[in-house]
Amino acid sequence: MSAKLFDEVCRYARQTAVWASIDATLGWDERTHLPPAGAEYRAEQSALVAGLAHQRWTDPTFGRQLEELAASPLAADPESDAALIARRLRRQYDRRIKMPKTLVERLARLTILGQQAWQDARQNDDFPAFRPILEEVVELKRQQAEAIGYDDCPYDALLDEYEPEERTARVAGVLGQLRDALTPLVAEIQQSGRRPNVGLLHRDFPVALQAQFGLAAASAIGFDFARGRLDETAHPFCTTLGPHDCRITTAYDERHFGSALFSILHEAGHGLYEQGLPVEWFGLPPGEAVSLGLHESQSRLWENFVGRGRPFLTFYFPLAQQRFSALRDVSFEEFYFAINDVRPSLIRIEADEATYNLHILIRFELERALLDGQLQAADLPAAWNEKYQTYLGVTPPNDRDGVLQDVHWSAGLIGYFPTYALGNLYAAQFFAQARRDIGDLDARLTAGDFRPLLDWLRDRIHRHGQRWSAAELVRRATGRELSIEPLMEHLRTKLAPLYLS
């Protein structure tokens, strides 16, 4: 009976996951190919699919089956697949049944319209046009937090959606430690007076050549284009539509060398995680990512710890010079210094490794204030500009490069931003351990051999799916609790020779 019950639970969950894949397909199309006039009807499509999926996920019969499975002999071993599936699906079920179907549908509809409104508002530098949608999104997210419930603060309920079992107070403490360590390092770099010639990255880099170069780089690090593809979008992202269908995207700037390349490496890192999950468990917890923070660790590892590192660039710079005539009068050291430019900036996705987490801290503090009602949407641009001046010493000249630069709030992703900072911390700890375990990792990367690192990630992280929490997976992969020190050591080791020696 236990085996039959297990098969029924798995079959039902896999069928329901098909609805999620349909919703993901609609979302991918909306952000890559949907004409603006199609947004309103797409919102109706997404709302319908989200409602149907929610109805299946919260079916009482499914809930009873999960209870029976958890109590069955198959789940007696907490490390077994049956126990993992029962535990994780029950946790998701308990969360979902607290959400009214009408609220799920309203959020799905509003966030499609919100993303289109954000895109128009950013293009026109018109925050007042976006404000009503943002106010609605925040109100619905408040309702979501109240429906789900929380122990300490409403933000806990939303953060848990992206980083299960994490709490706002702990994240705030970790980010506070990171801020206190980063601020003096950034100040010391700024005071050193050393500046790379970043102009060499802002020459003529034809988009067609960038696309070819980016495809080749993603393929070289292991992204399987037989199971994925690369497309263009306004705000780069990665999404999985099926067990053999992972989509990554980028945005090109013909006057900036690194913008598309590093976003491709970033999204390919997400894609490698998706392609490394056990395909036989697609749609079930053993075949799904642990958390968005862990997901972000994979993208930031390939973008920064590999892509902006000396070994990787030593291999790729001669290839870039062959492809782009604008780099043929540039030395490697000039190029490496420019790629690792550190200076306070306005745009999060273009921020350097040393200042990036300060951008995250700003968003974390602002969205908590919005959710708690301490900050009104109408006052958000002024609050944004004030925090940028306080944390980074820069003030946005307009809302396009300020409060309107990110798609997340329009998509209802409140509670999402902290996962970026957690991802940076996880990535540093993973990369440091991989270096210790592989031994000659830098030499392998310099030779363009990325397989040993990918194999390490596959073994330590990807293949485990949701078997453990993010915190436990970090402990098992590295033998240590999460700490800011690996990231700070990485930054000091890389940046001191460029700016401080």
Side-chain angles (χ1 to χ4, degrees), residues 15-214:
Q15 290 172 347
T16 309
V18 173
W19 288 101
S21 73
I22 293 170
D23 190 42
T25 303
L26 292 173
W28 171 83
D29 178 75
E30 186 264 325
R31 294 174 66 181
T32 55
H33 292 91
L34 183 72
E40 188 169 346
Y41 195 69
R42 177 55 47 82
E44 295 303 316
Q45 293 172 318
S46 295
L48 176 64
V49 171
L52 290 170
H54 181 73
Q55 190 171 328
R56 283 185 60 86
W57 280 126
T58 57
D59 186 288
T61 300
F62 183 53
R64 288 193 293 273
Q65 287 179 326
L66 291 174
E67 283 187 11
E68 292 175 23
L69 179 60
S72 74
L74 269 182
D77 177 3
E79 295 288 316
S80 70
D81 291 329
L84 165 63
I85 288 170
R87 182 171 64 249
R88 292 291 182 182
L89 288 182
R90 183 70 206 197
R91 190 177 195 278
Q92 294 167 16
Y93 177 84
D94 289 342
R95 180 184 174 90
R96 285 169 174 143
I97 59 173
K98 296 174 183 177
M99 282 280 286
K101 181 184 175 186
T102 54
L103 180 56
V104 172
E105 291 172 337
R106 287 177 67 193
L107 274 167
R109 184 180 296 111
L110 180 63
T111 53
I112 292 294
L113 297 175
Q115 290 175 74
Q116 289 294 325
W118 163 79
Q119 194 162 320
D120 292 342
R122 188 175 187 215
Q123 183 176 348
N124 299 321
D125 189 22
D126 187 0
F127 179 80
F130 176 61
R131 192 185 81 193
I133 286 274
L134 177 60
E135 289 172 339
E136 284 190 71
V137 168
V138 171
E139 175 55 31
L140 291 186
K141 298 305 283 188
R142 286 194 191 111
Q143 292 179 28
Q144 179 180 344
E146 293 301 324
I148 291 170
Y150 49 86
D151 292 328
D152 297 323
C153 64
Y155 196 85
D156 278 345
L158 304 185
L159 175 64
D160 187 80
E161 183 173 350
Y162 309 112
E163 202 67 17
E165 303 179 42
E166 193 54 86
R167 291 293 177 266
T168 307
R170 180 172 181 266
V171 171
V174 171
L175 290 188
Q177 293 175 28
L178 193 55
R179 176 197 59 219
D180 294 344
L182 285 172
T183 303
L185 175 63
V186 172
E188 193 176 1
I189 289 172
Q190 292 304 108
Q191 292 164 9
S192 75
R194 295 187 185 180
R195 296 290 182 272
N197 174 19
V198 295
L200 60 87
L201 301 178
H202 294 273
R203 297 177 176 179
D204 183 26
F205 299 99
V207 167
L209 296 182
Q210 288 192 54
Q212 294 169 11
F213 196 70

